[in-house]
Amino acid sequence: MEVSIKVLHKGIADSIQDSGRYGFQHFGVQPNGCMDLLSATLANYILQNDLDNPVIELHFPASKIQFLNNAIICISGAHFVPILNEKSIPFNTPILVAENDVLSMLQPIEGTIAYIGVKGRFNEPNWLNSHSYNSKSIATNDILHFSTPNYDLQKTLQQLIKDFDKSIVEKVQNILFANNEPIRFLPGPEWDNLNENSLQAILNKPFTISVQRNRMGYYLNGPKLETSNTKSYLSSAVTRGTLQLLPNGNIIVLMADHQTIGGYANLGQIILVDLPRFAQMKNDQPFTFSLTNLDTTQSLYRKLYAPFKY
């Protein structure tokens, strides 16, 4: 059985994403993938899909889409007030949509990135082991194809609602939108090059995310940082969450579409557990940084993703 989705009106930067395209950065290929992998994982968990199943990533103003077949979907991540045929629908739960139903997003209430998961599998050729879009976005009149085994929609919907653990939804929502703890990071190779005033500033002063933000990187507003001596750095590998110090003293945090190498000072690495929350932050939301260590990082990651099993 096939589920087709038509893009009636494209959003600002919407795309198909999964966990990313890894193993090819030494060839200069960006990894891409979901900006908030935690929310995408939650949508697939609720639908009992493979947790790596591709999803539709939406940024506000988001795409308006039409379902050309009956389907079961789940909307996760940011609360954009989803509207199905002009009626509000819940998110973080399985939803039955009918042929020709139209889904749109009314306004951004909480967060900055939403996801639509579809019960089934994205039915398009992948590239380098991933369906994640690379340097492209969804366009008006695109048709997105998903395939799924034949099943009774109503029975499947009721079973999905019965099976998933609602406490996991609450936990994810609390992590993303009710957590004011500092954003934790591991020190990078140039961390010790910061002068004493800058070391104190990055750990004690608030930052916000600039309007200059996209899938490649988030520019930060905050205290100007300086190194103890002027020097140039050899280009080296970077990844999502890398904190680079720009020549003007500001920080850019690399995100899902980051370049594969960079020549700016590498101050540190935001841990994977905190990256989804960071990705969902709005521009006017102040936050602080704090240092952590590798053992703590690994333990937190295992604990966070352990509940996602069927």
Side-chain angles (χ1 to χ4, degrees):
M1 184 171 72
E2 184 171 85
V3 174
S4 297
I5 299 173
K6 183 176 182 179
V7 180
L8 298 180
H9 182 74
K10 71 173 184 176
I12 188 170
D14 301 340
S15 58
I16 295 292
Q17 299 293 336
D18 52 29
S19 60
R21 182 175 289 105
Y22 289 95
F24 304 96
Q25 285 185 242
H26 58 297
F27 295 121
V29 178
Q30 299 160 293
N32 311 119
C34 296
M35 292 280 280
D36 172 6
L37 187 58
L38 181 59
S39 291
T41 301
L42 177 63
N44 279 320
Y45 163 76
I46 290 171
L47 293 171
Q48 294 188 13
N49 287 333
D50 291 340
L51 297 182
D52 188 37
N53 203 47
V55 292
I56 304 172
E57 181 177 279
L58 304 176
H59 302 252
F60 202 86
S63 299
K64 184 177 185 178
I65 64 176
Q66 181 180 38
F67 297 92
L68 304 184
N69 312 89
N70 300 338
I72 297 174
I73 67 168
C74 178
I75 303 168
S76 66
H79 185 5
F80 286 169
V81 188
I83 303 294
L84 189 68
N85 299 334
E86 307 305 323
K87 293 183 179 180
S88 179
I89 58 173
F91 57 111
N92 293 323
T93 190
I95 298 291
L96 181 62
V97 295
E99 181 180 351
N100 294 324
D101 278 356
V102 174
L103 176 65
S104 56
M105 301 292 171
L106 189 60
Q107 60 180 317
I109 299 296
E110 193 172 47
T112 60
I113 309 164
Y115 293 91
I116 302 174
V118 179
K119 178 64 176 173
R121 183 76 185 176
F122 189 59
N123 191 24
E124 298 286 349
N126 66 27
W127 179 59
L128 300 180
N129 304 322
S130 174
H131 289 281
S132 291
Y133 282 12
N134 180 289
S135 302
K136 66 172 286 190
S137 57
I138 290 171
T140 300
N141 294 323
D142 276 357
I143 305 292
L144 310 174
H145 300 283
F146 292 79
S147 61
T148 184
N150 291 319
Y151 57 82
D152 185 297
L153 286 170
Q154 286 289 352
K155 288 183 178 179
T156 302
L157 177 68
Q158 295 305 314
Q159 191 63 48
L160 290 175
I161 293 173
K162 178 183 176 182
D163 285 349
F164 87 89
D165 186 348
K166 294 180 178 61
S167 68
I168 296 178
V169 172
E170 182 178 353
K171 177 181 179 181
V172 169
Q173 290 298 103
N174 286 336
I175 288 172
L176 294 177
F177 306 119
N179 183 352
N180 294 319
E181 293 297 314
I183 297 294
R184 293 163 290 191
F185 72 98
L186 298 169
E190 278 78 60
W191 171 251
D192 289 333
N193 288 357
L194 289 174
N195 62 31
E196 184 61 30
N197 287 338
S198 295
L199 287 170
Q200 293 301 316
I202 194 173
L203 294 176
N204 295 288
K205 300 291 186 180
F207 290 81
T208 58
I209 298 170
S210 166
V211 293
Q212 294 178 279
R213 60 188 288 169
N214 53 44
R215 281 185 47 88
M216 187 172 184
Y218 284 8
Y219 288 87
L220 302 188
N221 297 319
K224 301 293 185 182
L225 307 179
E226 297 179 347
T227 54
S228 55
N229 52 65
T230 303
K231 61 180 294 187
S232 58
Y233 300 94
L234 292 175
S235 292
S236 58
V238 293
T239 187
R240 68 170 68 200
T242 297
L243 285 78
Q244 289 189 312
L245 178 61
L246 302 178
N248 63 5
N250 290 329
I251 293 174
I252 181 174
V253 180
L254 302 185
M255 302 302 282
D257 287 349
H258 64 82
Q259 72 273 23
T260 58
I261 60 173
Y264 296 129
N266 182 338
L267 301 182
Q269 185 69 39
I270 294 178
I271 66 175
L272 288 176
V273 167
D274 285 353
L275 265 177
R277 174 163 60 99
F278 179 75
Q280 291 285 3
M281 284 183 173
K282 294 188 174 184
N283 297 336
D284 59 353
Q285 183 176 348
F287 67 93
T288 57
F289 284 112
S290 70
L291 283 170
T292 188
N293 58 67
L294 187 58
D295 287 342
T296 299
T297 299
Q298 292 174 336
S299 176
L300 289 170
Y301 183 83
R302 287 192 295 267
K303 183 178 179 181
L304 177 61
Y305 284 93
F308 291 106
K309 55 180 180 290
Y310 304 119

